[in-house]
Amino acid sequence: KAGVTQTPRYLIKTRGQQVTLSCSPISGHRSVSWYQQTPGQGLQFLFEYFSETQRNKGNFPGRFSGRQFSNSRSEMNVSTLELGDSALYLCASSWESPRDGNEQFFGPGTRLTVL
Amino acid sequence: GQQVMQIPQYQHVQEGEDFTTYCNSSTTLSNIQWYKQRPGGHPVFLIQLVKSGEVKKQKRLTFQFGEAKKNSSLHITATQTTDVGTYFCAGPNGWGAQKLVFGQGTRLTINP
């Protein structure tokens, strides 16, 4: 079956702009998690959505938001971009919540560069 | 908050040598997961451990979960160039907690 897909793969924005990233999970997976990966901070949990509801949220400012649609596809939005938001944004899907040890399948990520 | 620490941060070995990475949590974990990320790639789930003292093997990889469920290790026997990448451990931030916290990862490079 098809893996997790993320669009776009690469994005260049300037400070102050906003961006929307998209994630299509593996068919049948109800949990979608988002992570930010940077060389300095590693993999940081952003949020998890399950059946259109945000179940968990990481320690990120309110500029970072997300949503999940009825088909489990998810989007995350970052408003008022800052230079420090430059990172690889990874989406991962799983049948149930990853915190319970359920295998997560990661997408290829969206590389965001903020100038 | 709960922290998951991994050591070492980097490890360079000769092909054929063994490799071990260690993961330590400040709190007891209900489970621990291991992922591998190849250079330029995305994390790939390797395994999850749930039971105290659990040991699981995948070919040359051996995973252990500590008796107190606060630490874990991944050992690779006779490394091959295909083992190159960053290995992450991850666990829920506290018993019954909601978030999955990743360690900083151990980057393994291999001299062929």
Side-chain angles (χ1 to χ4, degrees):
Chain A
K1 55 185 172 183
V4 178
T5 58
Q6 290 186 247
T7 57
R9 293 292 310 278
Y10 302 92
L11 206 49
I12 298 176
K13 292 284 188 179
T14 55
R15 279 181 297 173
Q17 288 187 308
Q18 67 106 28
V19 67
T20 299
L21 312 181
S22 181
C23 170
S24 291
I26 289 174
S27 178
H29 283 189
R30 297 176 292 175
S31 172
V32 174
S33 298
W34 287 90
Y35 297 88
Q36 181 195 65
Q37 187 172 35
T38 59
Q41 297 296 318
L43 267 164
Q44 301 282 311
F45 172 80
L46 280 157
F47 24 66
E48 181 203 354
Y49 285 88
F50 187 90
S51 296
E52 301 180 65
T53 301
Q54 186 184 87
R55 280 209 293 202
N56 305 299
K57 192 176 191 305
N59 298 323
F60 279 82
R63 300 185 296 108
F64 292 80
S65 63
R67 59 178 175 169
Q68 187 180 31
F69 302 95
S70 57
N71 62 358
S72 292
R73 190 176 70 84
S74 178
E75 289 181 346
M76 69 162 280
N77 185 277
V78 188
S79 62
T80 320
L81 284 166
E82 301 177 359
L83 294 178
D85 296 333
S86 294
L88 179 67
Y89 289 88
L90 291 159
C91 163
S93 78
S94 54
W95 175 248
E96 271 291 350
S97 177
R99 73 175 190 271
D100 299 325
N102 291 280
E103 180 175 358
Q104 284 187 104
F105 294 83
F106 280 83
T110 295
R111 173 77 60 185
L112 172 65
T113 302
V114 182
L115 303 175
Chain B
Q2 185 249 18
Q3 292 187 341
V4 176
M5 308 297 292
Q6 252 185 286
I7 55 169
Q9 193 174 356
Y10 302 96
Q11 183 78 57
H12 180 77
V13 301
Q14 290 289 127
E15 188 173 15
E17 290 183 338
D18 291 357
F19 158 77
T20 304
T21 174
Y22 300 91
C23 183
N24 294 288
S25 169
S26 56
T27 60
T28 303
L29 299 169
S30 56
N31 70 83
I32 194 159
Q33 304 163 35
W34 285 91
Y35 292 80
K36 176 185 178 182
Q37 185 173 20
R38 293 180 187 271
H42 54 271
V44 174
F45 180 91
L46 293 176
I47 208 161
Q48 67 142 333
L49 303 169
V50 179
K51 299 176 184 176
S52 169
E54 188 170 15
V55 177
K56 287 188 176 181
K57 292 190 176 184
Q58 290 180 350
K59 297 182 180 178
R60 294 178 294 104
L61 277 62
T62 301
F63 303 84
Q64 290 190 327
F65 202 6
E67 294 291 340
K69 301 184 76 173
K70 294 178 73 173
N71 56 73
S72 181
S73 65
L74 157 59
H75 179 81
I76 302 178
T77 304
T79 55
Q80 300 175 359
T81 54
T82 53
D83 295 326
V84 164
T86 300
Y87 293 85
F88 294 94
C89 61
N93 68 327
W95 195 270
Q98 305 297 311
K99 307 172 192 174
L100 197 62
V101 177
F102 278 77
Q104 286 291 85
T106 295
R107 184 178 172 186
L108 173 64
T109 54
I110 298 174
N111 210 19

